[in-house]
Amino acid sequence: MATATPAVPTGGATEKTARGGAATGGATPRPARTDLLPATRPDALLGARVAGAARDGAAALLTFAPEHGPALRLVLPAAFRLARGERTLLTDADLTAPPEHRPAGPFEQCATRYDARALALNAVLSATRPSVREITALPDGGLRVAWGASFLLEIPGPPASTVTAWRLGDLG
């Protein structure tokens, strides 16, 4: 059963992102510009297919494909944790950490641990095509997004030193 919390937390923001820019990490194009779009709310992710992970500099990017309407991008410029069951797949610390190893193949071109792990995650997402089943807006401005049988994205509320913990953008 899919569920969503109706309120938009204060730590998040919404944006409309135009297509364009050069690819980052070999996966998804970087946004060219952003404009605020108040109509896009976290519950718009409910039921959307999780399409992929990329990054734009020091921000993680997750792309979602709703059944109807334009693709959505969740931008994570602050702390986050993506886990599958008990195993942590990606965190904000991975955005600046060098890869642990350099296996043969496309991973050789990865600049950070996030890039290498995002490539592996994208292969899993492409094969399983999971959909968002639950959205929880946290009172501190954070967000919790669950998809598939065991994926969980946790975004704590923003620390006092940052403006937002996450932004949701319309790629249409």
Side-chain angles (χ1 to χ4, degrees), residues 33 41 143:
R33 64 182 196 86
R41 297 172 43 108
L143 191 65

Side-chain angles (χ1 to χ4, degrees), residues 57-74:
L61 307 173
L62 291 172
T63 304
F64 299 84
E67 189 173 324
H68 304 289
L72 299 171
R73 172 155 302 146
L74 185 60

Side-chain angles (χ1 to χ4, degrees), residues 61-143:
L61 307 173
L62 291 172
T63 304
F64 299 84
E67 189 173 324
H68 304 289
L72 299 171
R73 172 155 302 146
L74 185 60
V75 180
L76 306 172
F80 72 92
R81 176 181 178 264
L82 174 61
R84 186 172 193 188
E86 295 296 316
R87 182 173 179 228
T88 298
L89 302 177
L90 294 170
T91 71
D92 53 295
D94 295 332
L95 289 162
T96 56
E100 307 83 44
H101 54 81
R102 296 201 177 266
F107 290 115
E108 291 176 344
Q109 300 166 0
C110 298
T112 68
R113 185 173 18 209
Y114 182 92
D115 295 322
R117 291 180 177 182
L119 283 173
L121 174 62
N122 287 341
V124 170
L125 295 174
S126 178
T128 61
R129 302 176 56 85
S131 295
V132 175
R133 61 180 164 77
E134 185 177 344
I135 306 281
T136 305
L138 304 174
D140 67 355
L143 191 65

